[in-house]
Amino acid sequence: IPGSGGGVSVDFSDGANPSVTGAVTREVWLQTPAAGTSDLRAFFISAGSSNGSEWLGSLKGPSNYGEDFSARLSGDIIPKESGSFTFHIAGRGVCELHLNAAEIDSEDHVATIDEEAWNHVANLGEASSQSSSTFNLTAGTRYYFEVLQVARQGDDHIAIGWDTPSSSGIEVIPGDSLSPLETFTSSNA
């Protein structure tokens, strides 16, 4: 994965549908919704194809990527252990975390930040709006997620962390617990 320092793992046991872990899909649009837009998901649906995409090795986006852009990080979170998980978001501008799983009522907008002040990864979980409720997740189960980011002027950043049953604090969700939205086979189909 360029620039991430991480690697991906591919399981070819089902040759027609290889399973990729170790990354998350990041799509970028060189446009932003109108100020005050409350439904970011509708904006991303109506914006059409992204201007570019890449894989990231964790749920931490690049810092100071640019100005006047929107980004979506998406894929599956695959926990390595079962138990109670809490999710946290840090960033600058408007950032949202959505988690969708059978165990959760269809779709849940779990954490939001809308700040012009820099809110770095060290601030994960600092404000209650940045943290989700607790979810009981099962090891090895795929949970689809989307992180939506709108960056206008100035510095930008996005990171998603979690408290796991065995962690001693909040950590950025690592690539080995992630699977990208598209794999190299689906993008070349």
Side-chain angles (χ1 to χ4, degrees), residues 105-126:
D105 292 335
S106 89
E107 179 183 309
D108 196 5
H109 177 171
V110 297
T112 300
I113 188 165
D114 184 357
E115 295 185 12
E116 289 307 311
W118 185 264
N119 191 299
H120 202 270
V121 73
N123 302 106
L124 281 166
E126 189 173 88

Side-chain angles (χ1 to χ4, degrees), residues 57-108:
S58 72
L59 265 181
K60 182 178 182 293
S63 295
N64 299 322
Y65 178 79
E67 295 185 351
D68 295 317
F69 74 91
S70 302
R72 176 174 54 203
L73 285 68
S74 57
D76 292 316
I77 293 174
I78 310 166
K80 295 190 174 304
E81 60 184 322
S82 296
S84 298
F85 290 76
T86 304
F87 295 89
H88 309 274
I89 189 169
R92 182 168 183 268
V94 180
C95 305
E96 296 179 356
L97 168 63
H98 297 262
L99 184 64
N100 189 348
E103 294 76 15
I104 300 166
D105 292 335
S106 89
E107 179 183 309
D108 196 5

Side-chain angles (χ1 to χ4, degrees), residues 173-189:
I173 301 174
D176 64 358
S177 295
L178 299 170
S179 181
L181 182 61
E182 288 190 345
T183 67
F184 51 88
T185 56
S186 62
S187 346
N188 292 320

